[in-house]
Amino acid sequence: MHYQCQRCGACCQWPGQVRVTEAEITALSHFLKMDENAFIQKYTRLRMDRQGLALVDQDSGACVFYQANGCLVNPVKPQQCIDFPDHWNFPGFEKICKAKPIVDRAA
Ligand code: SF4
Ligand code: SF4
């Protein structure tokens, strides 16, 4: 089974941290036509486990790249964003995520 995202934007707005790897920082900064160091200064913070970087939040708690019409960096969004909810989720996520469960059928 997998989930078909309905682009409700809830996962971009709830509290938490969006981890970013060095490769993702490179891709994001190129996409935004920014110098990598400037990107890191403006858009990242130390992860809670201090093992790397995460995106900063807006005052509302939403991801810094979330806009009313969706993700500003959608073509290069981090793997963590791509993987939800198919490859990681949490108990009860269906209460806030509108993704539709799709039953995979064998060919
Ligand atoms: S990077 Fe884009 S998809 Fe990921 S949480 Fe932020 S707004 Fe959402
Ligand atoms: S909360 Fe679920 S349905 Fe809504 S944008 Fe995120 S993955 Fe898609």
Side-chain angles (χ1 to χ4, degrees), residues 72-99:
L72 178 68
V73 297
N74 191 54
V76 291
K77 64 187 175 189
Q79 193 66 40
Q80 178 178 323
C81 310
I82 294 168
D83 286 348
F84 181 83
D86 272 347
H87 300 292
W88 70 273
N89 55 54
F90 47 85
F93 82 94
E94 301 96 329
K95 293 189 183 113
I96 34 181
C97 167
K98 306 230 176 341

Side-chain angles (χ1 to χ4, degrees), residues 26-100:
T26 300
L28 286 158
S29 58
H30 285 181
F31 182 77
L32 294 172
K33 298 183 171 50
M34 289 178 74
D35 172 79
E36 277 188 43
N37 286 328
F39 177 91
I40 289 167
Q41 289 295 323
K42 185 169 183 182
Y43 291 125
T44 71
R45 61 179 160 80
L46 201 56
R47 286 184 207 164
M48 285 181 275
D49 64 6
R50 305 177 75 84
Q51 299 298 308
L53 298 175
L55 297 179
V56 294
D57 298 332
Q58 300 181 34
D59 289 345
S60 64
C63 170
V64 67
F65 293 129
Y66 179 71
Q67 300 186 325
N69 58 350
C71 175
L72 178 68
V73 297
N74 191 54
V76 291
K77 64 187 175 189
Q79 193 66 40
Q80 178 178 323
C81 310
I82 294 168
D83 286 348
F84 181 83
D86 272 347
H87 300 292
W88 70 273
N89 55 54
F90 47 85
F93 82 94
E94 301 96 329
K95 293 189 183 113
I96 34 181
C97 167
K98 306 230 176 341
K100 288 187 182 159

Side-chain angles (χ1 to χ4, degrees), residues 4-13 66 68-71 74 77 97-99:
Q4 188 175 59
C5 174
Q6 300 302 302
R7 297 184 175 275
C8 71
C11 57
C12 304
Q13 297 178 76
Y66 179 71
N69 58 350
C71 175
N74 191 54
K77 64 187 175 189
C97 167
K98 306 230 176 341

